[in-house]
Amino acid sequence: MTEIKREIDKIARAVEQFAGAPITEQDVGYGLDDILHVVLHEYCHGVVAKKVPWINNLEPRVHAFVDEILARFVEMEVAPKVSLAVSGYESQLRELMTCGFQVTLQGWTDIRRAWYSLYREENNLEGAARYLMELYHRGDIDLRRCPAASCLA
């Protein structure tokens, strides 16, 4: 965490040097929430890497799909605890589509419902990952048709 703080401070100093003046939280405005959401989301990927390390062995597109969904599950649990808003269904679906994943609103609703009813209580990310893999292997999710996206880099 020290490295992250150091890098954020380095970015702030570089921006202030460019501006020739200190940049305050008021100057950043609503962007501060965006910054914090990005930091939270990336930390959530770290949780997934720790709790479900075997997804790193999956084909990249499948890995990215499972990782992005699990990170959102973690985010939905942690965001309220740190006073950040949780994105709604449609917003999360748009984010997944931005990553190149074609999931219907009903499909996303079903995936979230499974999280809440089967895996959330015990923070069972591995079980949720296995569920997502089951959907993929059954053909309920076809990632081959998804376009290449920045989330796959």
Side-chain angles (χ1 to χ4, degrees):
M1 186 139 70
T2 303
E3 184 178 345
I4 292 170
K5 290 177 184 177
R6 189 171 42 247
E7 291 300 314
I8 290 173
D9 189 52
K10 186 166 85 174
I11 291 167
R13 284 193 315 269
V15 169
E16 289 175 345
Q17 183 178 9
F18 175 83
I23 304 298
T24 67
E25 291 173 7
Q26 290 79 16
D27 296 328
V28 175
Y30 292 110
L32 183 59
D33 278 349
D34 291 337
I35 293 166
L36 297 175
H37 268 105
V38 169
V39 170
L40 171 61
H41 183 75
E42 296 309 318
Y43 264 101
C44 292
H45 283 293
V47 170
V48 173
K50 288 275 191 203
K51 295 285 192 176
V52 194
W54 56 262
I55 70 168
N56 293 320
N57 299 325
L58 298 174
E59 184 265 320
R61 191 174 299 277
V62 177
H63 169 267
F65 179 73
V66 173
D67 189 39
E68 286 299 328
I69 288 179
L70 295 180
R72 280 165 178 76
F73 290 162
V74 176
E75 195 173 332
M76 288 186 303
E77 300 303 318
V78 175
K81 294 175 182 174
V82 294
S83 301
L84 289 175
V86 176
S87 300
Y89 270 53
E90 290 83 2
S91 178
Q92 290 175 338
L93 185 59
R94 278 191 303 276
E95 291 169 6
L96 290 170
M97 292 173 81
T98 299
C99 291
F101 305 124
Q102 299 171 354
V103 180
T104 65
L105 181 58
Q106 184 60 52
W108 181 231
T109 300
D110 292 345
I111 289 168
R112 284 180 52 136
R113 187 174 293 130
W115 166 252
Y116 283 111
S117 66
L118 301 173
Y119 308 108
R120 177 184 183 222
E121 189 172 320
E122 296 179 8
N123 292 329
N124 186 356
L125 292 175
E126 184 162 6
R130 292 191 188 288
Y131 166 75
L132 292 169
M133 292 303 302
E134 180 182 321
L135 292 179
Y136 173 69
H137 288 300
R138 276 195 332 230
D140 293 349
I141 298 172
D142 183 359
L143 300 178
R144 292 171 299 175
R145 292 180 290 152
C146 296
S150 61
C151 292
L152 303 177

